[in-house]
Amino acid sequence: EVQLVESGGGLVQPGGSLRLSCAASGFTFSTYWMSWVRQAPGKGLEWVANIKQDGSEIYYVDSVKGRFTISRDNAQNSLFLQMNSLRVEDTAVYYCASQVWGGPFDYWGPGILVTVSS
Amino acid sequence: DIQMTQSPSSLSASVGDRVTISCRASQSITTYLNWYQQKPGKAPKVLIYAASSLQSGVPSRFSGSGSGTDFTLTISSLQPEDFATYYCQQSHSTPRTFGQGTKVEIK
């Protein structure tokens, strides 16, 4: 059974940092692009970043460029999102999701809440 | 960036109704269009990929059509478990973008 499980969320003050992790199992993690997608409370879905199978290509939405860093460890079947200089508008549930390039986000984790507030 | 616009934003329907949701891209995305269903407090679930291909395990009452800039998700006979929010998403270009969602409510 495919499983993606996020961790590392919580409450942080504006300007602070958090590191999200996503543990994958039940599929060959190293053969998939991986993404982070977020959803602010009561709002729609927003793709945040993705990373190629070997980490050689990485892309970000403009609003997080220079503040967030996506990475992966294929030996540990794990995906990460380092979030620095957090803003109130980064408050959201963050999902990790797998994807085939050009295809849908086919497997999703349950999500983890990040709250940025003073 | 490619903008995705869904219509309507919400709709009310009864069990057994045929429901149609539209999605328009700001430029051609050929058939790089996916549809998701999301229920409250849950992660989205892919229903349709490549505009018209049914994801494994998804009931056949769901179907997708379209190409270029105009796409449609159809639920042929709405079931109680289908009341949810539906999103389209393009996988043609980065950044990947979603429509704003269509909430399907019980009439």
Side-chain angles (χ1 to χ4, degrees):
Chain A
E1 180 194 3
V2 172
Q3 277 202 314
L4 294 168
V5 180
E6 303 92 345
S7 60
L11 174 64
V12 62
Q13 292 189 334
S17 298
L18 275 179
R19 188 186 194 222
L20 303 184
S21 299
C22 173
S25 61
F27 68 107
T28 309
F29 179 77
S30 61
T31 65
Y32 279 79
W33 280 79
M34 294 296 297
S35 279
W36 290 97
V37 177
R38 67 183 178 183
Q39 186 169 37
K43 302 298 184 182
L45 299 165
E46 180 183 39
W47 170 82
V48 174
N50 63 5
I51 183 168
K52 194 176 179 178
Q53 292 90 331
D54 62 359
S56 61
E57 292 184 41
I58 288 174
Y59 301 96
Y60 299 97
V61 69
D62 282 350
S63 59
V64 309
K65 281 180 184 174
R67 300 188 299 123
F68 290 11
T69 302
I70 188 173
S71 62
R72 65 191 295 162
D73 181 341
N74 288 340
Q76 297 295 321
N77 291 336
S78 295
L79 177 72
F80 306 100
L81 187 67
Q82 177 67 43
M83 304 186 294
N84 298 331
S85 303
L86 282 160
R87 304 168 179 169
V88 170
E89 55 266 34
D90 295 318
T91 295
V93 173
Y94 285 73
Y95 298 99
C96 68
S98 62
Q99 63 175 119
V100 173
W101 187 253
F105 301 112
D106 47 3
Y107 300 119
W108 296 68
I112 191 83
L113 178 62
V114 171
T115 303
V116 185
S117 174
S118 54
Chain B
D1 298 1
I2 297 176
Q3 308 303 316
M4 306 300 293
T5 304
Q6 287 181 236
S7 61
S9 296
S10 65
L11 65 90
S12 295
S14 300
V15 172
D17 283 354
R18 182 181 181 88
V19 169
T20 299
I21 299 169
S22 297
C23 177
R24 174 165 288 178
S26 60
Q27 64 188 73
S28 177
I29 57 171
T30 62
T31 57
Y32 288 97
L33 190 282
N34 312 298
W35 289 98
Y36 300 86
Q37 177 193 68
Q38 187 180 33
K39 297 182 178 179
K42 299 295 187 181
K45 166 189 168 183
V46 60
L47 302 174
I48 301 287
Y49 64 95
S52 61
S53 295
L54 192 67
Q55 180 75 347
S56 176
V58 174
S60 59
R61 62 181 179 273
F62 291 94
S63 64
S65 64
S67 66
T69 60
D70 292 302
F71 302 88
T72 301
L73 174 70
T74 300
I75 309 172
S76 60
S77 177
L78 198 65
Q79 297 302 300
E81 60 268 30
D82 300 337
F83 292 95
T85 301
Y86 294 83
Y87 294 92
C88 62
Q89 176 251 328
Q90 63 83 14
S91 49
H92 178 274
S93 305
T94 299
R96 301 296 197 240
T97 45
F98 292 86
Q100 80 278 17
T102 295
K103 187 173 184 179
V104 176
E105 299 175 301
I106 301 172
K107 182 183 282 185

